[in-house]
Amino acid sequence: MDLASLSLYIIAVSAVTIMPGPTMLLALNNGAHGGKRIAACGIAGAALSDLILIAAVGCGLGALLIASEQLFTLVKWIGAAYLLYLAYGLWRAPVGPIQTDTASEKPLSGRAAFVRSLLVALSNPKGLLFFSAFLPQFIRPEGGIAAQYITLALVTALIDIALMSVYAVGGHHAMRLLSNQAMRWLNRGCAGMLAGLAVALSLYRRSETH
C-alpha cells in the first residue's frame, strides 16, 4: 500500500470515527465514572472489534451480511436492543466514582467494560457493512491482500484508540469539574444519544450503504 493511499485512509477513517457513536459515548462515560483502568479496558474492547470486523470483511463475511436479508435483520435488531439496554442502564445509573453496567447498580469492572464495548461494536451491522464498502477502495489487487488488510486493521484500531482516549479524558475532566447534578445529566445525555442511535439502527436499511 502506497503512502498516499494510506494517508487518505487515515483522514477518511478519522473523520468518520470522531463522530459520537456508541463506542465513543461509552468511552466518555467510562472516563467520567470508571477511572483510567475502566476507560482503557473499554477502549481495548472497541479496538479489538475493529480487528475482528476487518478480518471478517477480508474473509467475505461482509458480503454474506449484504446478501442475506435475514442475517442482516437479526444482527440489526440485536444491536438495537443492546443499545437500548445500555441506555436504560446509563439513565438509571447513580453519579459516583464507579459507573454501573445495569440498573441493578453493580459496579462496572474492567472486564465488563471491555465486553460491553466489544459487543456494542460487533452487534452493529453498520460497522461490517461500512468496512465492506469502504476497505476495498484502498486494497491494491496486485499487492499482498492479506498484508494490506492487516495494515488497515491496525491503523483503524490505533485511530479508534487515539480518538476514544480523547473522549475518555474529556469525561474524566468533566467528572472533576462538574457538579453531581450536571454529571447526572451527562449520564442521561449519553443514555438519550444511545437510545437515539438504537432507533436509527432499527430503521437502517442495507441499501443505504450502496
Side-chain angles (χ1 to χ4, degrees), residues 1-193:
M1 179 174 294
D2 60 88
L3 183 59
S5 295
L6 185 59
S7 299
L8 181 59
Y9 179 81
I10 291 173
I11 293 172
V13 171
S14 298
V16 172
T17 305
I18 200 170
M19 301 302 292
T23 53
M24 292 297 170
L25 292 174
L26 290 179
L28 174 68
N29 199 264
N30 288 339
H33 299 281
K36 295 178 180 179
R37 177 178 171 274
I38 300 299
C41 289
I43 290 171
L48 177 59
S49 75
D50 291 328
L51 303 181
I52 293 174
L53 289 175
I54 293 178
V57 170
C59 293
L61 293 183
L64 176 63
L65 191 66
I66 293 173
S68 174
E69 179 70 33
Q70 292 80 9
L71 180 59
F72 172 82
T73 301
L74 174 63
V75 175
K76 180 180 75 170
W77 284 108
I78 289 174
Y82 190 55
L83 286 178
L84 287 175
Y85 166 77
L86 292 179
Y88 177 75
L90 291 183
W91 185 275
R92 295 288 304 275
V95 176
I98 301 295
Q99 183 56 280
T100 60
D101 188 35
T102 69
S104 63
E105 301 184 8
K106 180 181 178 180
L108 182 65
S109 65
R111 180 179 179 181
F114 177 89
V115 172
R116 186 171 72 170
S117 294
L118 177 64
L119 291 180
V120 161
L122 294 182
S123 62
N124 186 345
K126 292 175 68 175
L128 192 55
L129 293 178
F130 169 77
F131 285 128
S132 296
F134 188 64
L135 288 179
Q137 302 177 50
F138 296 89
I139 299 296
R140 299 176 60 185
E142 67 275 12
I145 293 179
Q148 292 180 72
Y149 271 109
I150 292 172
T151 299
L152 294 178
L154 293 175
V155 168
T156 303
L158 289 174
I159 291 172
D160 243 357
I161 289 171
L163 294 178
M164 283 188 290
S165 296
V166 173
Y167 273 78
V169 170
H172 176 70
H173 285 293
M175 182 67 178
R176 296 174 56 187
L177 298 174
L178 299 178
S179 66
N180 283 349
Q181 181 65 21
M183 289 304 301
R184 183 172 293 109
W185 282 110
L186 176 62
N187 270 2
R188 293 183 174 181
C190 289
M193 284 187 279

